[in-house]
């Protein structure tokens, strides 16, 4: 699926469950498994398994998502709402040989079978863990932005502050980097996706399309981005559903035996 680098599962563990969980994984699967980074936390969400779609490095087994503030906030929101939530950009590329590109991580909560999950309190009590997906923004947008619109510049930002730090993706118009384009029309489109606000900025030269032509392009671009990002969840829960389901169920059985 365009942009999806990998998917996997991370169980949700309390401080009290941590030691028994690590010992069980070492005994049954990975002799050197441990949760990283080390340290005492109220909860843990270590990567129990991960499957790459193209062979790129996608994270170490045992890495604790809960130790990263941005990812922890996203997982808490996913847990409390029952919805897929984007954690925002991962700054380090997974593969040092590849071109650095912004990565997003999406978390989808998994609740224990037979437990009620209607209210926030019930969902917190029933949480088993998270199916997660790593997404390469450049690859995702390559399937969204028409490559033949040479007079159009497209940029995608995380949030509403359009700063260099928030920039996730940019496709410059022909002549923009050389300064040949000096007068442009500009529009911003806000997208609410996966618990986060993204801003799509489209710039067009005055020698290109006019404002009346720009409006439908913006609407179409926003709609396409929204549709594709929402389709990521469908991809996780359909084309990869059987593999994820089998491993989640096995992890559930293991945890219940602790």
């Amino acid at each position: 699926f365009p942009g999806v680098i990998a998917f996997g599962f991370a169980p949700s563990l309390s401080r009290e469950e941590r030691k028994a969980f690590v010992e069980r994984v070492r005994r049954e699967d990975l002799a050197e498994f441990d949760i990283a980074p080390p340290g005492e936390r109220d909860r843990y969400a270590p990567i129990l398994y991960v499957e790459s779609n193209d062979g790129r490095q996608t994270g170490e087994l045992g890495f604790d998502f809960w130790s990263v503030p941005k990812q922890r906030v996203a997982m808490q929101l996913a847990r409390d709402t029952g919805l897929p939530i984007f954690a925002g950009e991962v700054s380090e590329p997974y593969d040092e040989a590849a071109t650095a590109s912004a990565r997003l991580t999406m978390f989808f909560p998994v609740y224990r079978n037979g437990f009620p999950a209607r209210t926030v309190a019930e969902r917190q009590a029933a949480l088993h863990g998270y199916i997660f997906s790593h997404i390469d923004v450049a690859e995702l947008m390559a399937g969204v932005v028409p490559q033949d619109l040479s007079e159009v510049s497209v940029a995608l930002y995380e949030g509403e502050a359009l700063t260099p730090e928030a920039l996730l993706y940019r496709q410059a118009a022909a002549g923009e980097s050389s300064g040949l384009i000096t007068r442009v029309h500009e529009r911003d489109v806000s997208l609410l996706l996966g618990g986060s606000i993204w801003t799509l900025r489209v710039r067009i030269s005055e020698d290109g399309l006019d404002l009346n032509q720009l409006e439908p392009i913006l609407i179409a671009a926003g709609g396409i981005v929204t549709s594709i990002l929402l389709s990521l969840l469908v991809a996780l829960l359909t084309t990869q559903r059987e593999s994820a389901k089998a491993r989640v169920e096995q992890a559930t059985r293991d945890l219940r035996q602790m």
Side-chain angles (χ1 to χ4, degrees):
F1 195 88
V4 177
I5 301 170
F7 79 104
F9 178 72
S12 177
L13 307 170
S14 67
R15 182 185 291 112
E16 293 73 24
E17 293 171 320
R18 179 186 184 279
K19 181 179 179 181
F21 173 80
V22 170
E23 291 176 349
R24 188 170 196 84
V25 174
R26 287 177 176 175
R27 185 167 59 250
E28 296 186 354
D29 298 300
L30 302 168
E32 298 183 0
F33 179 87
D34 205 351
I35 296 176
E40 290 293 323
R41 293 181 281 279
D42 61 332
R43 298 202 66 82
Y44 302 85
I47 297 176
L48 182 58
Y49 75 86
V50 60
E51 294 188 11
S52 172
N53 289 336
D54 59 7
R56 275 181 287 185
Q57 182 182 347
T58 54
E60 296 293 333
L61 292 180
F63 176 77
D64 181 19
F65 285 128
W66 201 260
S67 68
V68 181
K70 181 180 286 189
Q71 293 175 329
R72 181 169 62 249
V73 169
M75 287 188 289
Q76 290 171 328
L77 184 58
R79 173 198 65 194
D80 293 350
T81 62
L83 299 173
I85 299 295
F86 285 101
E89 182 181 2
V90 178
S91 59
E92 295 296 328
Y94 293 112
D95 188 343
E96 294 180 357
T99 301
S101 173
R103 264 80 166 185
L104 305 175
T105 300
M106 183 177 70
F107 294 101
F108 186 81
V110 177
Y111 301 103
R112 293 181 173 87
N113 291 332
F115 282 65
R118 296 179 298 271
T119 67
V120 171
E122 288 176 345
R123 286 191 283 268
Q124 291 178 349
L127 182 69
H128 172 51
Y130 302 87
I131 293 174
F132 65 88
S133 179
H134 293 314
I135 300 160
D136 185 292
V137 177
E139 292 181 13
L140 172 67
M141 294 299 291
V144 175
V145 180
Q147 301 300 305
D148 57 348
L149 295 179
S150 60
E151 71 273 24
V152 178
S153 170
V154 178
L156 182 67
Y157 294 85
E158 181 183 359
E160 296 179 286
L162 308 188
T163 63
E165 295 75 22
L167 181 65
L168 297 174
Y169 170 85
R170 185 168 183 267
Q171 175 181 296
E176 185 174 8
S177 60
S178 63
L180 296 178
I181 297 177
T182 58
R183 302 179 64 185
V184 298
H185 301 303
E186 185 174 272
R187 292 287 179 84
D188 297 337
V189 177
S190 294
L191 309 170
L192 180 59
L193 298 168
S196 300
I197 295 177
W198 295 11
T199 301
L200 185 68
R201 167 164 286 184
V202 178
R203 307 177 76 218
I204 221 163
S205 68
E206 285 194 348
D207 295 330
L209 302 176
D210 61 31
L211 286 174
N212 291 329
Q213 292 172 299
L214 177 59
E215 194 67 32
I217 290 178
L218 286 173
I219 295 173
I224 292 171
V225 172
T226 301
S227 297
I228 288 184
L229 291 175
L230 292 179
S231 294
L232 295 177
L233 176 60
V234 176
L236 286 175
L237 300 181
T238 55
T239 60
Q240 299 169 332
R241 180 175 181 273
E242 293 305 318
S243 177
K245 180 180 178 182
R247 300 207 182 195
V248 170
E249 289 178 347
Q250 181 60 52
T252 300
R253 288 193 292 270
D254 291 344
L255 286 175
R256 286 175 176 171
Q257 293 172 9
M258 291 181 181

